[in-house]
Amino acid sequence: MSRRDLIDPECRVPLDALLEVMPGGFNAIPDIVQRRTAVEGMLGAIEVPDNPNVAKEDRTVPGPAGEPDITVRIYRPVGASGTLPGVYYIHGGGMILGSVEGEDPNATMICDQVGAVVVSVEYRLAPEHPHPAPVEDCYAGLVWMAKNAAELGVDPHRLAIYGASAGGGLTIGTALLARDRGGPALSFMMPIYPMIDDRNETPSSHEITDIGIWDRAGNVEAWAWYLGGKQADQYAAPARAVDLSGLPPAFIDVGTVDLFRDEDIAFAQRLMQTGVPTDLHVNPGSYHAAETFAPEAALSRRIWAARIDRLKRALA
């Protein structure tokens, strides 16, 4: 049986449509600039109506010491008064793709449905800016958000960090930096199918070779670009972290047809063994980012409902 046969039927429809127009998926485009253009074009073609319940503002804030400033997009529920919980949002894209704009619909939805101030960070991408530039940008943005909590109307005691795929790996890497540097106190983290292990040794990293969304060859390539020829540390590849104590309570979800399945399950188990309260959701039939490609599928709605519910409870 092909791994493709295990995909949820509703979620498979848009994936098959994508592969018809782009055989091999995005990773089949060798030039990274052209690949980014293709991804942005596809995301831009998805019409998402403006949400009148959410106000947005882009702002330039200090980057890491000695490095360029970074851009953040701030989302706030319209008409909300008083202090709200905060969600620091890190976009995905394998450390080489993605943008704040591309994940604007998801950040908007979290702001609206959770009732939180969301700050989404535009970090530098590899291969032009290999590790540690992306995670240091993410950490700088988090420090800015925490320092400016009063102005943002954010309760610093109800601050969560969220990211999917590369954003999930950066979520954990940023949380590790915050722990090790005595930085902002995080009350919760939600790394979604996080990209956390550069070694590519798990069974699932060998199984997922022809799904068309983040297959093995593309993951190996992305890690090589991200690391820039250097050895990975725990902030680049959190699966390498020896000590997971002191991290915030976590929610991790991943699909059974996702290359990151086994590294994410193993990481969640280690969090539990360390005593970190951890929700682990393994979604049968879900491939990498299926809920983004097939948002109307029943499986996708269940995935998002579980995330939103858990964020609400964590930040109550």
Side-chain angles (χ1 to χ4, degrees), residues 153-265:
V154 168
D155 179 353
H157 302 294
R158 291 189 292 160
L159 180 56
I161 183 169
Y162 174 100
S165 192
L170 289 166
T171 288
I172 302 169
T174 301
L176 285 165
L177 283 175
R179 179 197 70 181
D180 295 345
R181 294 177 179 175
L186 293 166
S187 58
F188 191 66
M189 66 175 180
M190 188 171 276
I192 300 301
Y193 36 77
M195 175 181 175
I196 54 174
D197 196 342
D198 64 296
R199 292 164 291 198
N200 291 286
E201 294 172 349
T202 64
S204 62
S205 76
H206 287 276
E207 288 170 21
I208 307 303
T209 58
D210 64 348
I211 296 296
I213 296 296
W214 216 255
D215 295 325
R216 179 179 177 82
N219 193 53
V220 170
E221 175 189 63
W223 273 111
W225 277 344
Y226 181 46
L227 295 175
K230 296 178 183 174
Q231 176 70 25
D233 61 17
Q234 64 176 351
Y235 308 114
R240 291 182 174 270
V242 175
D243 178 15
L244 300 182
S245 63
L247 287 173
F251 174 108
I252 295 173
D253 75 30
V254 66
T256 54
V257 200
D258 190 323
L259 177 145
F260 297 140
R261 181 193 69 212
D262 294 341
E263 65 196 62
D264 293 349
I265 292 171

Side-chain angles (χ1 to χ4, degrees), residues 7-24:
I7 295 174
D8 174 84
E10 278 188 291
C11 291
R12 183 167 171 170
V13 172
L15 178 60
D16 287 345
L18 168 70
L19 296 178
E20 277 188 27
V21 298
M22 197 178 292

Side-chain angles (χ1 to χ4, degrees), residues 62-207:
E67 299 292 340
D69 290 344
I70 54 178
T71 300
V72 296
R73 180 168 294 177
I74 304 162
Y75 302 78
R76 185 175 179 85
V78 170
S81 59
T83 304
L84 299 176
V87 176
Y88 186 65
Y89 189 109
I90 305 176
H91 72 74
M95 312 293 183
I96 58 175
L97 305 163
S99 65
V100 164
E101 185 64 37
E103 295 203 21
D104 184 79
N106 287 347
T108 299
M109 177 178 65
I110 288 173
C111 172
D112 185 24
Q113 296 193 14
V114 177
V117 174
V118 176
V119 174
S120 182
V121 60
E122 195 78 84
Y123 55 89
R124 288 170 290 174
L125 298 174
E128 297 90 342
H129 303 283
H131 178 72
V135 74
E136 289 288 358
D137 283 357
C138 292
Y139 181 71
L142 176 66
V143 169
W144 175 85
M145 182 181 184
K147 281 185 177 177
N148 293 274
E151 184 215 336
L152 294 168
V154 168
D155 179 353
H157 302 294
R158 291 189 292 160
L159 180 56
I161 183 169
Y162 174 100
S165 192
L170 289 166
T171 288
I172 302 169
T174 301
L176 285 165
L177 283 175
R179 179 197 70 181
D180 295 345
R181 294 177 179 175
L186 293 166
S187 58
F188 191 66
M189 66 175 180
M190 188 171 276
I192 300 301
Y193 36 77
M195 175 181 175
I196 54 174
D197 196 342
D198 64 296
R199 292 164 291 198
N200 291 286
E201 294 172 349
T202 64
S204 62
S205 76
H206 287 276
E207 288 170 21

